[in-house]
Amino acid sequence: MRTRPLKVALLGCGVVGSEVARIMTTHADDHAARIGAPVELVGVAVRRPSKVREGIDPALITTDATALVQRGDIDVVIEVIGGIEPARTLITTAFENGASVVSANKALLAEDGAALHAAAEKYGRDLYYEAAVAGAIPLVRPLRESLAGDKVNRVLGIVNGTTNFILDKMDTSGAGYSEALDEATALGYAEADPTADVEGFDAAAKAAILAGIAFHTRVKIGDVHREGITEVTAADIASARRMGCTVKLLAICERAADGASVTARVHPAMIPLSHPLASVREAYNAVFIEADAAGQLMFYGPGAGGSPTASAVLGDLVAVCRNKLGEATGPGESAYTRLPVSPMGEVVTRYHISLDVADKPGVLAQVATVFAEQGVSIDTVRQQGKDGEASLVVVTHRAPDAALSGTVEALRKLDTVRGVASIMRVEGE
């Protein structure tokens, strides 16, 4: 074993960063044995140096992150500060000054991953980011390495614990969205400002990263169709139950049947209770990968939190340190397919549409005519009415999303349709 330690700088010491530092200390001997050299934490960049951080030598604390990554003797920089800047500049500066990087920054990777990979390649450094996608769940490395000899066709999963907790509570307790969000906040699953989670931004960033790796093409967060869960109601949950389904916020990345394009989307969807994703409870994550040779693979576990995320960070740290000792680098960006990302309108989906309609003869015929004119086939219809008011629930067969959207717009123009109570896609068949 080499006695000279590999030097590590840590950018950020919040929930995840503090756990990274703690585990580096408590598992130092094991890490050294697995790597072939000891690992030494030589600096921790923070915004508030006066905050007490148990287990971390105050002499390591600095507010000058730039100076830390410019030292020139750092082997690996761990970036867990998040956001676009200054993280992007700090990472590229680390590459320029001889350090490889382990990051948990999904927003930056989904926005500017290509440039970061290019910088890492230019300077001969590693860029690893397992923790950016699903906490402790191994996804990036299986896609980049274990399935490198296979053809991945679809990635389908629950990649945001906050929204899964909220939808699960709405399903199991009958709570409304606001009530379930309040409980998630009280338990620490939701931030004070939950927008990134409940509006789907967090899941969209992860979908962009997963799609890029799975399909060997460049997918940015702006390419991902995104819908959140704020419009999901208790009535939607009840309708799903009547269909033998539950509602989940899904990240779906697919290769087109002809192989000429890909799609990436995040939205709430009804999935059958028989589907394994339907049983993913509370704040857990799970992801299905479908490949030609491997078939269906499922990855399940805690997708967030200090310790789970730190586990993924430290797994990357061990891999990068091994590469350093071997004077090698691991897999970089693979974007050779250069496949275009198709817009949501071209995606073929099913819809569950709930309409408030007049309770009189001929309404169903009018509605069916609209579907026929738009080229959308109806799978099932459920109608009930009382005292001049009625509801009509239509579940379609698969059709281009643009045709389904056009159908909804045409339905709104019917005099007999009082309103569209809810629209939700149906997935997971």
Side-chain angles (χ1 to χ4, degrees):
M1 177 185 294
R2 193 180 86 168
T3 58
R4 182 170 63 83
L6 293 160
K7 296 183 179 181
V8 177
L10 177 62
L11 308 182
C13 198
V15 173
V16 175
S18 59
E19 277 297 288
V20 168
R22 181 188 68 80
I23 298 172
M24 282 185 66
T25 300
T26 56
H27 293 180
D29 291 343
D30 285 335
H31 290 163
R34 294 166 190 172
I35 292 168
V39 176
E40 179 186 2
L41 184 62
V42 297
V44 181
V46 300
R47 286 184 297 177
R48 295 184 294 274
S50 60
K51 181 180 177 180
V52 176
R53 295 172 173 85
E54 293 185 11
I56 297 178
D57 183 351
L60 298 179
I61 301 296
T62 178
T63 58
D64 194 342
T66 300
L68 180 59
V69 299
Q70 287 178 334
R71 279 180 41 166
D73 64 338
I74 304 295
D75 293 292
V76 184
V77 169
I78 298 174
E79 182 271 309
V80 289
I81 56 178
I84 305 301
E85 289 291 356
R88 174 167 47 200
T89 299
L90 291 170
I91 289 174
T92 55
T93 302
F95 290 147
E96 293 168 3
N97 286 272
S100 289
V101 173
V102 172
S103 176
N105 195 332
K106 53 187 168 286
L108 177 57
L109 287 158
E111 177 63 32
D112 212 17
L116 294 180
H117 276 292
E121 182 177 4
K122 176 181 177 180
Y123 293 102
R125 315 300 176 207
D126 272 326
L127 174 62
Y128 276 51
Y129 43 89
E130 186 68 69
V133 176
I137 306 173
L139 281 173
V140 173
R141 201 166 304 161
L143 282 170
R144 287 210 300 188
E145 300 178 32
S146 303
L147 294 173
D150 207 340
K151 179 184 178 183
V152 175
N153 296 309
R154 194 170 194 238
V155 179
L156 167 74
I158 298 164
V159 295
N160 182 273
T162 300
T163 51
N164 199 58
F165 179 90
I166 292 170
L167 293 172
D168 181 52
K169 288 302 174 184
M170 292 175 70
D171 185 32
T172 57
S173 70
Y177 167 78
S178 296
E179 184 181 352
L181 173 59
D182 288 343
E183 184 175 353
T185 304
L187 292 172
Y189 293 127
E191 301 287 345
D193 179 2
T195 302
D197 293 321
V198 300
E199 293 292 357
F201 290 100
D202 174 85
K206 295 171 180 177
I209 296 169
L210 288 172
I213 300 170
F215 307 133
H216 303 277
T217 195
R218 288 178 177 168
V219 181
K220 299 178 69 172
I221 190 168
D223 298 321
V224 181
H225 174 83
R226 175 192 55 79
E227 299 172 29
I229 66 166
T230 56
E231 301 301 318
V232 177
T233 66
D236 293 327
I237 302 293
S239 291
R241 275 285 173 188
R242 284 192 289 270
M243 287 179 57
C245 294
T246 189
V247 177
K248 298 292 185 182
L249 182 73
L250 297 179
I252 306 169
C253 311
E254 295 176 304
R255 188 192 299 267
D258 62 4
S261 64
V262 299
T263 60
R265 51 195 165 106
V266 168
H267 55 71
M270 295 181 179
I271 59 173
L273 293 174
S274 58
H275 195 284
L277 289 178
S279 62
V280 178
R281 302 288 309 280
E282 298 196 334
Y284 276 75
N285 286 188
V287 176
F288 258 85
I289 296 175
E290 299 175 8
D292 274 0
Q296 291 187 336
L297 306 172
M298 182 172 173
F299 299 79
Y300 170 84
S307 293
T309 306
S311 172
V313 168
L314 290 164
D316 280 350
L317 176 65
V318 169
V320 170
C321 285
R322 286 171 174 168
N323 291 343
K324 278 278 184 179
L325 289 182
E327 298 182 349
T329 55
E333 183 188 34
S334 176
Y336 71 92
T337 64
R338 296 181 175 87
L339 295 173
V341 182
S342 297
M344 186 63 193
E346 297 179 11
V347 174
V348 177
T349 63
R350 297 180 67 202
Y351 264 31
H352 172 283
I353 304 170
S354 180
L355 305 171
D356 294 328
V357 300
D359 187 14
K360 61 182 184 181
V363 173
L364 179 56
Q366 287 184 327
V367 169
T369 298
V370 169
F371 278 89
E373 290 173 345
Q374 297 292 326
V376 177
S377 176
I378 294 175
D379 182 14
T380 63
V381 178
R382 186 177 71 251
Q383 185 175 16
Q384 59 186 27
K386 183 179 181 182
D387 300 329
E389 298 294 332
S391 65
L392 193 64
V393 177
V394 179
V395 179
T396 73
H397 286 292
R398 291 169 63 83
D401 199 79
L404 289 162
S405 298
T407 301
V408 172
E409 291 307 308
L411 289 170
R412 295 183 194 275
K413 296 176 182 178
L414 292 177
D415 293 338
T416 51
V417 175
R418 307 287 173 78
V420 180
S422 70
I423 309 166
M424 191 169 294
R425 295 176 184 88
V426 182
E427 299 283 350
E429 295 173 288

